[in-house]
Amino acid sequence: MTVRPDATGRPGLCSTFCRELREPLTGTAIVASGWVVVEQPGPWGAKAPTHSHLDPEFGGKFDDACKKADVRFGLIRAPGRHSDAIGLSHQVYVASTMPGRSWLLGGRVDDPEALRTLDLDAVARGDRDAVVASLPGLSLVDHPVMLVCTNGKRDECCALLGRPLVKALSAAAPGRVWEANHLGGHRFAPTATVLPAGTMHGHLTAEGAVNVLAAADRGQTVLTGLRGRSTWTKHGQAAEIAVRRLIGELSLDALRVAGEDPEAVTVWHRDGRSWTVPVTSVAADPPRPESCGKEPFAMSILQAGAPVPGEAR
């Protein structure tokens, strides 16, 4: 197979292979019940929590604690801010992604180590009051924000494709777009996450990203480039998107993954309808690189079959 260059003119990029092969994005989002991100200016290494100007001991321990609590931890930077800015307070966002009770809290701390007091279990279960009690400087944010991966040390696609997207979006949606250190799925660059819903998106254009934010303002999502909602398992993400495409449902809170087994996932609609969606893992053909600089291999990708209607609840 001949892979043509993408917009960067570089045929070796993993995102070029992904686009040329039309690899499906469904079921590729991070899995996490909640998110915690903190502003950390300066350079980021491949593992930003321990390879940045953030204290590495704190970053490593806090990242581990978040993983144990099923919470995603990440670093963010403001677009256009000097990369070595110091002596500034740090923006913090904390999000719960559960449909019907998702929320976004924000605030500023003088030192990221203030996050040590944050009740991560409360973040995971969506207990907003307990979260605020553990870090009183947080308050409700009434608009969604978008995080765009730009960490070139992790994968060059994210820097080459993510940074121009951030620049364009910062003019279209000032104060609502942040650079992020790692959102998984380098080959889907530019990638982004919208909080508080936790929807993840790939192959974004500036126009597409503006549409995603506008949809989020309406309590909706956009199906083009949708990787999944981090609330669900990867099988659940694929099944939910399959139902959305079947019935044209865009409302973020209309669908819920109600259960799954090795062969199928049950998705409920708030109006009482339900579907059973077969989801299988298949070997991708031909092999492709997972990220830039890696050799192609026959990775597994998820395929969702046609949703089968169930009995109304």
Side-chain angles (χ1 to χ4, degrees):
M1 185 197 77
T2 300
V3 179
R4 296 187 298 273
D6 63 9
T8 70
R10 303 182 62 179
L13 296 176
C14 63
S15 60
T16 304
F17 282 90
C18 181
R19 291 172 187 270
E20 286 293 316
L21 295 171
R22 298 185 180 180
E23 183 177 336
L25 279 67
T26 57
T28 65
I30 287 166
V31 178
S33 298
W35 290 68
V36 177
V37 296
V38 62
E39 182 181 8
Q40 180 55 64
W44 296 336
K47 297 181 179 179
T50 54
H51 299 155
S52 66
H53 286 174
L54 188 70
D55 178 74
E57 181 179 1
F58 163 73
K61 289 182 177 179
F62 190 75
D63 190 32
D64 289 342
C66 285
K67 290 175 181 175
K68 290 178 181 178
D70 190 32
V71 171
R72 181 73 178 189
F73 174 54
L75 305 188
I76 57 175
R77 291 187 298 222
R81 178 167 293 176
H82 190 280
S83 62
D84 291 317
I86 58 175
L88 302 174
S89 61
H90 303 253
Q91 177 68 45
V92 173
Y93 289 111
V94 181
S96 171
T97 67
M98 290 300 295
R101 54 187 178 91
S102 60
W103 42 256
L104 180 64
L105 299 172
R108 302 194 74 87
V109 296
D110 292 332
D111 189 327
E113 294 208 24
L115 295 176
R116 289 184 187 274
T117 67
L118 192 63
D119 188 338
L120 296 175
D121 291 330
V123 175
R125 66 176 183 269
D127 188 341
R128 189 175 70 192
D129 291 341
V131 172
V132 173
S134 69
L135 192 62
L138 297 175
S139 60
L140 192 63
V141 178
D142 61 4
H143 57 266
V145 297
M146 178 176 283
L147 316 180
V148 179
C149 185
T150 61
N151 190 357
K153 293 294 186 181
R154 185 83 181 197
D155 190 279
E156 62 180 313
C157 281
C158 298
L160 291 170
L161 302 177
R163 287 174 184 164
L165 179 63
V166 168
K167 183 177 180 179
L169 287 176
S170 63
R176 299 182 60 186
V177 180
W178 295 81
E179 295 187 25
N181 71 299
H182 177 52
L183 299 176
H186 321 294
R187 63 193 185 279
F188 306 125
T191 63
T193 297
V194 177
L195 297 180
T199 57
M200 303 193 72
H201 307 263
H203 295 331
L204 279 170
T205 62
E207 181 182 5
V210 169
N211 290 339
V212 168
L213 262 182
D217 287 341
R218 301 189 300 269
Q220 296 180 336
T221 191
V222 171
L223 297 182
T224 301
L226 182 60
R227 299 174 58 194
R229 189 169 186 171
S230 65
T231 311
W232 315 125
T233 66
K234 293 184 182 296
H235 281 67
Q237 295 167 16
E240 188 215 43
I241 293 173
V243 172
R244 288 189 181 279
R245 288 176 173 165
L246 175 70
I247 64 175
E249 181 60 74
L250 299 180
S251 172
L252 284 165
D253 292 341
L255 298 180
R256 182 180 299 271
V257 175
E260 62 181 270
D261 59 38
E263 297 181 352
V265 177
T266 301
V267 178
W268 286 351
H269 195 287
R270 62 185 169 196
D271 66 9
R273 289 177 292 170
S274 68
W275 294 264
T276 298
V277 185
V279 181
T280 56
S281 179
V282 299
D285 183 41
R288 72 278 322 264
E290 185 177 27
S291 59
C292 291
K294 292 188 176 181
E295 292 296 320
F297 71 102
M299 66 176 66
S300 295
I301 57 176
L302 292 180
Q303 288 187 345
V308 179
E311 296 183 1
R313 293 181 290 120

